[in-house]
Amino acid sequence: MRFTVSAPHDTPKLLVLAVDDEPHGLDQLKHCLEANAYVGRVLPAVDASEALRLLGSDDDLIRARKHRGLPPVDAVFADINMPGLSGMEMSRVFASLNPAPVLVFVTGHAEEAVEAFDLGAVDYVLKPARQERIDKAVSRVVEKIEAASGLRRPSEPERDRDNEVIPVELAGTTKLIPRSSVRWVEAQGDYARLFTTEGSHLVRIPLAQLEERWAKAGFVRIHRSFLVALPLITELRMGQGGYQVVIGNEEKVLPVSRRHTRELKDKLVGSSRLG
């Protein structure tokens, strides 16, 4: 079944730069982008050098955009691993522009997603690019542009923000874990272990970084070693050594450190979960 996205009639079409040194990958990426209703034109580039030349070219549309104070393109969908100037290095140049285009990375290596988000990318897409995944990434690009301009699509309901995915490696296979399935997270050095309804997964992301990224999704720090989905806390109680929380129906008990107790109580009261 083909996944389609309908754009409101008054929505400006996006100008997108697609960069991939693999001809088949570039063709597939360009095809998926052009099939999206929000995309008006796709500029293909076979490497970072050609991409930078395109942005500095005399193209009428790019020149008109710069004259209006817009970035040269609305978004850049770029492969990470390319000969010469890598996608990451190229994107640092794009990110330094003011205003800057929205970044989306396309990669065959999920472990590179952490660095992609550090550069301010709104999404990353694993190869081979699929239409429904490109459509979701384009939707995030549109959301980013709307948020920056203070606009919101009136014809669409508020989006569920719990659809971020975290890549984990399982016996040589990359599995994408949706954030909405994570119940709590435990710090393990520079890594974090995600506990879901189906088990646990170790990812190379520090707990502090997840705390910052997931704060608006309802995750709260209860201890230097634990991050918990606030809506899943069913009980806050005094135990041996201090407060504890109970998570969901599985009666999982986690410690609450003294420095996080006051903030946790305030958030529980604010969400009407504690009398």
Side-chain angles (χ1 to χ4, degrees):
M1 180 180 296
R2 185 177 177 80
F3 182 87
T4 59
V5 174
S6 298
H9 295 301
D10 59 347
T11 300
K13 298 291 187 177
L14 300 176
L15 176 61
V16 180
L17 176 64
V19 191
D20 195 329
D21 65 304
E22 298 176 356
H24 175 71
L26 181 59
D27 288 344
Q28 188 173 22
L29 177 59
K30 184 173 182 289
H31 173 77
C32 290
L33 286 168
E34 290 176 337
N36 186 280
Y38 285 101
V39 176
R41 182 182 172 192
V42 179
L43 302 176
V46 297
D47 57 27
S49 297
E50 183 177 1
L52 294 173
R53 282 197 300 271
L54 278 172
L55 294 195
S57 70
D58 249 353
D59 181 276
D60 291 340
L61 182 54
I62 292 179
R63 188 169 63 248
R65 289 176 59 88
K66 291 178 179 178
H67 182 72
R68 292 162 53 200
L70 298 173
V73 294
D74 291 298
V76 178
F77 281 66
D79 186 14
I80 290 180
N81 293 309
M82 294 186 293
L85 194 66
S86 72
M88 288 290 187
E89 293 166 332
M90 175 189 69
S91 296
R92 288 189 179 93
V93 176
F94 294 152
S96 68
L97 298 177
N98 187 20
V102 182
L103 298 177
V104 175
F105 286 107
V106 183
T107 176
H109 306 281
E111 64 272 11
E112 294 170 321
V114 175
E115 187 175 357
F117 283 120
D118 286 343
L119 277 177
V122 298
D123 202 357
Y124 72 97
V125 178
L126 288 178
K127 290 184 176 183
R130 294 176 289 110
Q131 186 65 55
E132 61 268 24
R133 190 63 187 85
I134 292 295
D135 287 340
K136 182 179 290 187
V138 171
S139 291
R140 290 178 174 170
V141 168
V142 174
E143 288 178 349
K144 177 78 170 181
I145 293 172
E146 288 175 342
S149 61
L151 300 176
R152 178 73 61 179
R153 274 168 285 172
S155 60
E156 293 195 2
E158 185 70 19
R159 257 185 174 73
D160 179 5
R161 300 290 181 170
D162 283 348
N163 58 0
E164 181 184 336
V165 294
I166 300 295
V168 300
E169 295 293 328
L170 298 171
T173 300
T174 300
K175 183 176 181 180
L176 300 179
I177 305 297
R179 180 176 60 196
S180 55
S181 70
V182 178
R183 305 177 73 76
W184 74 90
V185 186
E186 181 178 0
Q188 295 188 356
D190 292 332
Y191 290 73
R193 183 168 293 278
L194 312 178
F195 289 85
T196 71
T197 53
E198 298 178 351
S200 67
H201 310 278
L202 191 66
V203 294
R204 188 165 57 89
I205 304 176
L207 191 66
Q209 185 173 334
L210 286 180
E211 178 187 8
E212 181 179 352
R213 276 170 45 187
W214 291 5
K216 292 183 179 179
F219 281 78
V220 59
R221 190 75 168 262
I222 64 168
H223 188 276
R224 62 185 177 86
S225 298
F226 292 103
L227 186 67
V228 174
L230 187 65
L232 299 182
I233 296 178
T234 57
E235 185 179 341
L236 173 64
R237 67 191 185 194
M238 179 62 75
Q240 290 185 346
Y243 278 98
Q244 301 171 333
V245 292
V246 180
I247 309 297
N249 297 326
E250 67 267 37
E251 295 293 319
K252 176 65 179 179
V253 177
L254 297 175
V256 180
S257 65
R258 182 177 300 176
R259 66 184 294 260
H260 291 99
T261 299
R262 181 71 265 169
E263 181 183 2
L264 177 60
K265 285 183 177 181
D266 290 344
K267 289 185 176 181
L268 287 172
V269 170
S271 62
S272 301
R273 301 191 62 85
L274 184 68

